[in-house]
Amino acid sequence: MKFLYYTLLRFGLMAVVFVACVYLGTGAILAGVFAILIAFAVAYLGFPRLHEQASRDFGRFWRKLRGKKTKRTVEDENIEVEDQYVDEQLRREGRDV
């Protein structure tokens, strides 16, 4: 949940800096570049605890996501072994795999 707060904080800072730069007449592209750089720097330096908590939340999310994808069941292993066996039998008989 801290990741969402930190992201919203950065986007809010970006919007404020962007509007301020456009108001000062720097142009849209430079205003965008300034907004990104200033918002990330202020968020990183001004809110270190929130940054660390958001980083931990994001890391937990990826570990959880990776764990679901790489977790193999016994049924998946059985299917793979059966496929290898059938492929080997077809190769021995000279048929296309």
Side-chain angles (χ1 to χ4, degrees), residues 54-71:
S55 177
R56 276 190 237 116
D57 283 353
F58 193 66
R60 271 188 240 121
F61 168 76
W62 279 111
R63 278 193 300 277
K64 192 167 142 184
L65 187 65
R66 254 187 288 146
K68 287 181 181 177
K69 285 186 177 180
T70 58
K71 189 174 182 180

Side-chain angles (χ1 to χ4, degrees), residues 3-92:
F3 178 75
L4 179 63
Y5 293 142
Y6 189 67
T7 301
L8 290 174
L9 173 74
R10 286 186 300 183
F11 283 138
L13 286 170
M14 274 188 236
V16 168
V17 172
F18 182 80
V19 169
C21 287
V22 168
Y23 179 73
L24 294 173
T26 60
I29 294 175
L30 276 178
V33 171
F34 291 154
I36 290 171
L37 293 175
I38 292 170
F40 277 89
V42 168
Y44 183 77
L45 296 173
F47 303 97
R49 286 181 50 205
L50 187 58
H51 173 78
E52 290 173 15
Q53 292 170 352
S55 177
R56 276 190 237 116
D57 283 353
F58 193 66
R60 271 188 240 121
F61 168 76
W62 279 111
R63 278 193 300 277
K64 192 167 142 184
L65 187 65
R66 254 187 288 146
K68 287 181 181 177
K69 285 186 177 180
T70 58
K71 189 174 182 180
R72 294 177 51 147
T73 63
V74 174
E75 183 178 336
D76 292 336
E77 292 176 8
N78 287 341
I79 289 171
E80 185 176 328
V81 169
E82 289 171 2
D83 288 345
Q84 289 174 356
Y85 176 77
V86 170
D87 290 345
E88 183 62 32
Q89 292 301 319
L90 290 174
R91 280 191 203 102
R92 285 184 185 167

